Amino acid sequence: MNVPRVVIFNDTHGWHSEQLTTALRQRGIETILCDLAECHIDLDSPTGLTIPGLDDELPAAVIVRGIAPGYLEQITLRMDVLHTLAELGVPVFNPASAIEHTVDKARTSLRLHLAGLTTPRTWACENIDSARRIVTRQLDNGISLVMKPLFGCQGKGIALIDTMQAFEQQNPVGDAFYLQEYVQPEQTGTWQDWRLLVIDGEISAAMSRSSSHWITNYAQGANCFATPVSDEMRQLALNATAAVNADYAGVDLIRTVDGQFSVLEVNSVPAWKGLYQATGKDVAGDIANAIVKRIEEVASSHHAV
């Protein structure tokens, strides 16, 4: 019997790939570490695709852990590979549609809003005069804003806009203005939010992040610790994950001064090192179980034909 082979896509493989490789090996699955940028379309191949390490075969499943930055054309080709794999019946975790819904923050905000989920008020445009009017209007109403790169993660490149001078000093990436209402902390001088990791409709792990700075990302030095999950938090995280069509996702929640939770962001290629250190939860094991389930479902469907 052939050993199932799962491809892990990332442009830089490290701790997360090692965790997944170990978890999958324990379940009798071989892994191939690959970069989507190294794959290519080849119509001489029976599948139309060439994936390093697989010859003309298809993997049993795919885990997308990261996609390198690139030009629009390069990203499009990488999405073509993921779309095609799914069309060929290969479980893709997460599918290209989920990545497309979360790769830019404006798209995520729209998906959350149209799903009726609570999320901070947000504006996005590419005209500086329009952005300036938005900022002026909100500042006049006593509302500060946070400017974020449309494509970005780990709290990098974000800025607090509490004056027009602060806005004018910004140089937005790609001339795209993504502006989100700044959520005031419940307690002055302490900022806190929550990261919930959803896998297959269940909360795998959850942590709270606190900092003396308004940026509370683990990568920016926030303190992380395990936290209980209320029914409100759980349902909001599950609904947010479903709204972006993700199999697994890191959902960031924040609590407003009135005590209500709101979805800040949804990440379809979430890291979980901070979660692991805070909770000790075997997240890689949960992902591996989800992959095994998909491989078995594909096998069962083939036997049924």
Side-chain angles (χ1 to χ4, degrees), residues 121-145 147 161 163-165 167-168 177 179:
R121 295 165 65 210
T122 301
W123 302 262
C125 63
E126 56 179 289
N127 181 290
I128 190 170
D129 291 329
S130 296
R132 191 175 283 119
R133 285 193 293 271
I134 291 166
V135 173
T136 299
R137 183 169 64 250
Q138 298 310 315
L139 291 179
D140 286 347
N141 290 329
I143 297 171
S144 297
L145 300 171
M147 182 183 289
I161 308 299
T163 64
M164 281 307 299
Q165 181 181 7
F167 170 74
E168 299 295 350
F177 297 87
L179 300 157

Side-chain angles (χ1 to χ4, degrees), residues 101-113 244 266:
H101 290 153
T102 58
V103 69
D104 81 84
K105 292 179 174 59
R107 182 73 167 131
T108 306
S109 293
L110 283 167
R111 294 288 296 187
L112 295 172
H113 175 72
V244 298
V266 184

Side-chain angles (χ1 to χ4, degrees), residues 270-297:
W272 63 84
K273 195 168 187 178
L275 271 168
Y276 175 75
Q277 293 178 351
T279 68
K281 182 63 187 291
D282 181 19
V283 172
D286 285 351
I287 294 176
N289 289 337
I291 294 298
V292 170
K293 175 184 173 183
R294 281 158 175 73
I295 293 173
E296 291 175 344
E297 288 172 347

Side-chain angles (χ1 to χ4, degrees), residues 167-242:
F167 170 74
E168 299 295 350
Q169 290 173 344
Q170 301 306 311
N171 184 25
V173 178
D175 290 332
F177 297 87
Y178 177 89
L179 300 157
Q180 196 170 61
E181 181 177 0
Y182 171 67
V183 179
Q184 296 287 345
E186 292 181 279
Q187 182 177 341
T188 302
T190 301
W191 287 263
Q192 183 177 16
D193 66 6
W194 289 259
R195 161 62 65 94
L196 278 63
L197 189 68
V198 177
I199 301 175
D200 270 357
E202 299 290 341
I203 305 299
S204 171
M207 68 179 179
S208 178
R209 303 178 293 199
S210 66
S211 176
S212 58
H213 188 272
W214 66 276
I215 300 177
T216 55
N217 294 74
Y218 167 72
Q220 299 292 332
N223 296 314
C224 304
F225 48 92
T227 183
V229 176
S230 67
D231 289 341
E232 178 191 5
M233 295 167 67
R234 177 182 180 277
Q235 199 58 54
L236 197 53
L238 297 184
N239 290 343
T241 301

